[in-house]
Amino acid sequence: MSTVQGPTPRWSALASKPSSSVIRDLLKLPAGVISFAGGLPSPAGFPLEDIAKACQTVIANEGKHALQYSMVEGEVALRREIARRETQKGIPTDYEQVQIVSGSQQALDLLARVFIDKGDKVLVESPTYMGALQAFDLCEPTYVSLPCDTKGLNPAEFTEEICRGAKFAYVMPTASNPTGLTISEERRKLLCEKAREYDMLLVEDDPYGELWYDKEPPASLRKWAPERVIRLGTLSKILAPGFRLGYIIAPADVLDKMAQIKQSMDLHTSTFTQLISAQVFSEDLLVRHLPSVRERYKTHANAMLDALAKYMPEGVTWTKPTAGMFIWVTLPEYMDATEMVKDVLAKKVAYVPGEVFYAADKVEKNHFRLSFVTVDPELIRQGVERLAEVIRLRIRI
Ligand SMILES: Cc1ncc(COP(=O)(O)O)c(C=O)c1O
């Protein structure tokens, strides 16, 4: 393969930074590996026929509009549908408070560009979403990691010293990626109180809030502190990630800055997928479609929890999610899940080593993330059995 790098270095400082290849490698796994590594939703849940119908309706009724450039804020039809859903959940929202983005990953990038200068303090859960760290890293913040306990993020960790001067705290109150944990209403309220007390913005990333198993999770943080919460949502996990549609609900001044920067990045998000999604929402298709997705995810989660209980040796613990796609496994402290990857792959199983979910100030290696929604229950059982064999060989009794 030819390269463009000559004697004079061409790459920017940013492009020259070494990047982690762990995830890219794990997504290129050979056939036959039982992969608990991906973070993809189950394609069995994509409502293909309904989307095909919505496409036809959009092309027939507003085809020329759908294929044209659009506004940076997003299509009013979709913004209205998103605002309607938020309002139905008890938090009155106007469409003007909604900015459409190209996946919530773009929202994370915009957040970094709008708020972070080199060295600025940013609070993150420990562990946190790797994709957020990657997006924020580009602007070189100083992270302060907030430890989570068995019930998720603990607002008691938000002391004045930690919060004062922070640009924002990035949190996933529902079905966190990677832990799968959901924090209680009490913790949410306390978190909002602390944010007010210490004048801090809260970024609430909520891709999994609709994917609950038995009971709807507590309300969005916006319920208790609408003036200081930047809420990120996405259609990736409830409709289709290929649409690349996410949204931000935030105070007007924040949205204004984000829109300015988004315009320079991509002018606007795809008009076509926005209008198809608005059509899907307006027919309440999601309301009809989500119960089967929730049921499927619950079945898979239970299959994995049963297998973990059956096969894992003593000394290994794991979270018990009530929503979402992930289980977080903790090994004894002396074990290293990154180093164990080669043995696990030799057994034709894959997970994501926990190390990649930590900000640089506090890295732990004795954890891994399991994703269960794209693997059939019988294969989940086999995969966990093989994983346990590898762990058993390394554990000190
Ligand atoms: C916590 C979290 N935030 C954001 C994203 C990005 O989602 P998307 O860009 O598809 O909306 C993901 C994807 O897995 C995620 O888990």
Side-chain angles (χ1 to χ4, degrees):
M1 211 203 307
S2 66
T3 64
V4 300
Q5 193 73 303
T8 315
R10 289 183 207 276
W11 306 133
S12 67
L14 183 60
S16 306
K17 281 189 188 168
S19 74
S20 161
S21 61
V22 181
I23 296 296
R24 264 183 276 157
D25 290 350
L26 282 170
L27 292 176
K28 285 187 265 163
L29 292 169
V33 173
I34 300 176
S35 178
F36 302 131
L40 314 181
S42 168
F46 296 156
L48 292 178
E49 283 178 21
D50 293 298
I51 289 179
K53 260 195 247 155
C55 277
Q56 279 173 351
T57 308
V58 167
I59 289 292
N61 295 348
E62 46 188 341
K64 288 188 177 159
H65 175 180
L67 300 177
Q68 188 53 282
Y69 282 116
S70 178
M71 292 175 301
V72 65
E73 292 84 359
E75 284 295 313
V76 172
L78 182 59
R79 295 165 75 201
R80 277 197 205 284
E81 290 299 336
I82 288 164
R84 179 169 71 95
R85 275 181 81 77
E86 293 286 312
T87 306
Q88 272 172 356
K89 286 176 183 283
I91 307 176
T93 306
D94 188 80
Y95 84 92
E96 292 191 327
Q97 293 169 274
V98 181
Q99 163 73 56
I100 303 295
V101 281
S102 304
S104 51
Q105 192 63 33
Q106 183 178 53
L108 296 168
D109 188 14
L110 288 171
L111 268 175
R113 291 170 202 252
V114 164
F115 288 105
I116 307 173
D117 285 317
K118 187 173 177 173
D120 280 349
K121 177 156 79 168
V122 167
L123 311 188
V124 290
E125 289 169 80
S126 182
T128 189
Y129 171 50
M130 181 194 56
L133 293 173
Q134 284 173 331
F136 302 160
D137 278 353
L138 298 182
C139 294
E140 304 185 67
T142 301
Y143 292 110
V144 177
S145 291
L146 302 162
C148 295
D149 60 22
T150 52
K151 293 178 178 160
L153 180 68
N154 187 350
E157 301 288 344
F158 284 71
T159 61
E160 174 157 19
E161 191 194 341
I162 284 180
C163 298
R164 286 266 181 232
K167 283 300 178 84
F168 56 79
Y170 169 72
V171 297
M172 286 167 281
T174 303
S176 139
N177 180 0
T179 66
L181 293 171
T182 294
I183 62 169
S184 64
E185 177 160 325
E186 207 186 332
R187 285 193 174 194
R188 288 174 199 232
K189 280 190 202 160
L190 194 54
L191 192 58
C192 292
E193 278 167 27
K194 295 268 184 146
R196 281 225 177 87
E197 191 178 346
Y198 302 135
D199 187 24
M200 185 175 62
L201 288 175
L202 294 172
V203 174
E204 174 185 50
D205 193 1
D206 186 22
Y208 306 104
E210 295 281 1
L211 305 178
W212 42 271
Y213 308 151
D214 292 309
K215 192 165 158 262
E216 202 167 339
S220 153
L221 300 179
R222 287 183 66 229
K223 178 167 176 187
W224 298 285
E227 78 294 352
R228 55 185 61 248
V229 171
I230 301 173
R231 175 165 165 76
L232 314 187
T234 177
L235 305 201
S236 290
K237 305 296 174 358
I238 54 175
L239 192 59
F243 278 0
R244 305 310 302 128
L245 288 177
Y247 54 92
I248 306 167
I249 304 177
D253 53 346
V254 175
L255 287 190
D256 201 43
K257 293 282 178 209
M258 289 195 159
Q260 273 174 32
I261 295 190
K262 176 172 165 64
Q263 189 145 33
S264 70
M265 291 164 86
D266 65 357
L267 300 182
H268 66 81
T269 294
S270 159
T271 321
F272 189 42
T273 59
Q274 286 189 68
L275 290 181
I276 295 167
S277 303
Q279 181 67 27
V280 166
F281 272 76
S282 72
E283 288 174 5
D284 262 354
L285 187 143
L286 272 188
V287 178
R288 284 180 276 122
H289 160 70
L290 281 173
S292 63
V293 178
R294 291 181 188 130
E295 203 46 45
R296 179 175 305 110
Y297 285 17
K298 178 180 159 180
T299 304
H300 284 234
N302 284 338
M304 185 161 267
L305 290 170
D306 289 349
L308 287 163
K310 185 167 177 192
Y311 296 115
M312 282 298 160
E314 213 170 303
V316 179
T317 58
W318 54 91
T319 56
K320 296 176 183 63
T322 52
M325 312 193 335
F326 306 112
I327 291 174
W328 182 245
V329 179
T330 299
L331 302 167
E333 270 178 34
Y334 57 81
M335 290 179 74
D336 181 337
T338 308
E339 194 255 326
M340 203 167 74
V341 164
K342 56 180 186 322
D343 293 0
V344 167
L345 283 177
K347 286 267 187 192
K348 294 202 176 304
V349 196
Y351 58 58
V352 182
E355 185 179 357
V356 301
F357 299 100
Y358 288 93
D361 66 319
K362 189 182 172 295
V363 180
E364 293 180 15
K365 295 193 169 190
N366 59 316
H367 311 269
F368 55 86
R369 188 194 75 178
L370 297 174
S371 167
F372 44 78
V373 302
T374 49
V375 185
D376 285 340
E378 172 51 23
L379 286 179
I380 289 179
R381 191 197 60 73
Q382 290 177 28
V384 172
E385 186 178 14
R386 291 187 215 163
L387 260 179
E389 282 166 21
V390 176
I391 294 170
R392 210 170 289 117
L393 286 177
R394 291 171 170 243
I395 216 157
R396 295 182 205 140
I397 304 170

